[in-house]
Amino acid sequence: MSGEPSALAVVNQLRDLAADPMNRRAIVEDQGCLPGLILFMDHPNPQVVYSALLAVRYLAECRANREKMKGELGMMLSLQNVMQKGTTPGETKLLASEIYEILQNASKSEAEEAEAAASCRRKAQFFLGGTNKRAKTVVLQIDGLDDSARRSLCEEALLKIKGVISFTFQMAVKRCVVRIRSDLKAEALGTAINSTKVMKAHQVVKKEDGAEVMLPLQEGSDVVVEENTELPDYLPEDESPSQEPHKAMSRLGSMQDGAGWLNTAANFLTRSFYW
């Protein structure tokens, strides 16, 4: 088995490739990657399941992918199984519920979409409690986010917060895009990041005219950061060895760099699973 990647290594690489919008169509069109991600949703390792869901969530952001993803054998059933399994962590259930809603609405009219969204929200409330109706996205500008060491500190701080679903770094512009539960205050993110003593976070919001505004995230005794005890250990995202500071966003991977990994993933799945 020496030299052969583990399931976690394969799914992490697929997740990193899927994070780049340029890769999403090719991954879904590949014969082995989408079925492999569906299989990973039923993996006994909760880290593998969560990383697979993150990859699927990235792929579903491409509207052209949704019909194919919805029709892929086992996709919707696997998402339902994750949502209904009693041992699934709450944040994992919320992520699966969000993906299920996106794919379920792929080909529906506006009226049908509204009803399906309401139904999926009710499922999320059933599993996670009435206060967790939807996820929201917060963009953070982080002063001091200068290198991989600072990024690791930031990751550790965010993962301690109960209610953080996922996050993506844009190292070139010192930003972090965080998906959180709707009942979690953005100030909790600022408190956690500021606790590193070497970084300070501001929230980035857009005005009606499209201009960006930096809002300070106030700290105080009334901001309670509830520590996360349900999520599995963090799924590492290795920074690319070559950085392009002149670009607005750092890329986690490209299809040129990841083409070999797609073949590796397909070969791994062929050897490791029985249909």
Side-chain angles (χ1 to χ4, degrees):
M1 295 293 291
S2 61
E4 181 173 320
S6 66
L8 184 58
V10 172
V11 75
N12 281 351
Q13 185 65 23
L14 287 174
R15 175 205 62 200
D16 291 346
L17 290 171
D20 188 338
M22 298 293 292
N23 299 339
R24 291 169 185 167
R25 291 292 300 275
I27 292 174
V28 170
E29 293 299 325
D30 185 87
Q31 295 296 316
C33 290
L34 195 57
L37 287 172
I38 294 172
L39 289 172
F40 282 138
M41 290 184 205
D42 193 39
H43 198 277
N45 185 344
Q47 291 182 322
V48 173
V49 175
Y50 192 72
S51 192
L53 287 171
L54 282 177
V56 173
R57 178 63 181 85
Y58 284 133
L59 296 177
E61 289 182 9
C62 177
R63 291 183 179 272
N65 285 343
R66 293 175 185 175
E67 275 295 327
K68 180 175 176 58
M69 292 174 66
K70 179 182 178 182
E72 189 70 30
L73 181 64
M75 173 65 77
M76 304 304 283
L77 180 60
S78 293
L79 289 171
Q80 287 180 324
N81 289 340
V82 173
M83 293 160 57
Q84 295 170 3
K85 189 178 297 183
T87 57
T88 302
E91 309 305 334
T92 304
K93 288 181 179 178
L94 180 58
L95 183 55
S97 178
E98 182 180 5
I99 298 168
Y100 187 92
E101 177 181 345
I102 292 172
L103 298 184
Q104 187 68 19
N105 294 340
S107 60
K108 296 191 174 191
S109 64
E110 292 184 3
E112 290 173 325
E113 285 181 0
E115 175 59 28
S119 175
C120 195
R121 284 196 295 271
R122 287 194 292 270
K123 290 181 181 178
Q125 292 173 13
F126 174 78
F127 290 120
L128 302 171
T131 60
N132 301 306
K133 295 180 179 180
R134 291 190 69 94
K136 62 183 178 182
T137 299
V138 176
V139 179
L140 302 177
Q141 182 74 43
I142 304 177
D143 297 335
L145 185 62
D146 301 324
D147 51 36
S148 58
R150 295 285 180 90
R151 169 177 163 160
S152 295
L153 285 176
C154 188
E155 290 169 350
E156 293 174 3
L158 290 174
L159 282 166
K160 291 179 181 178
I161 305 175
K162 188 176 180 65
V164 170
I165 300 172
S166 64
F167 47 83
T168 303
F169 286 96
Q170 301 172 2
M171 294 295 291
V173 290
K174 300 184 180 182
R175 288 189 178 182
C176 183
V177 181
V178 190
R179 293 187 63 76
I180 61 176
R181 289 194 325 220
S182 60
D183 59 336
L184 179 64
K185 294 182 178 180
E187 285 78 8
L189 305 178
T191 298
I193 292 174
N194 296 349
S195 69
T196 64
K197 306 299 184 184
V198 293
M199 290 178 285
K200 189 173 182 64
H202 294 77
Q203 184 177 2
V204 181
V205 297
K206 283 191 176 183
K207 299 193 297 184
E208 292 183 358
D209 60 1
E212 291 186 347
V213 178
M214 304 291 178
L215 300 179
L217 295 174
Q218 299 180 352
E219 291 188 87
S221 58
D222 58 329
V223 179
V224 179
V225 179
E226 186 178 359
E227 289 199 359
N228 195 348
T229 59
E230 289 187 317
L231 274 180
D233 293 336
Y234 175 59
L235 306 173
E237 297 182 51
D238 295 330
E239 190 71 18
S240 171
S242 61
Q243 296 185 3
E244 301 172 301
H246 63 285
K247 292 189 176 181
M249 295 180 62
S250 62
R251 295 180 62 179
L252 295 176
S254 67
M255 284 310 296
Q256 183 176 1
D257 298 332
W261 260 103
L262 291 181
N263 292 332
T264 300
N267 292 335
F268 174 86
L269 294 167
T270 300
R271 290 193 301 268
S272 303
F273 295 98
Y274 296 92
W275 296 85

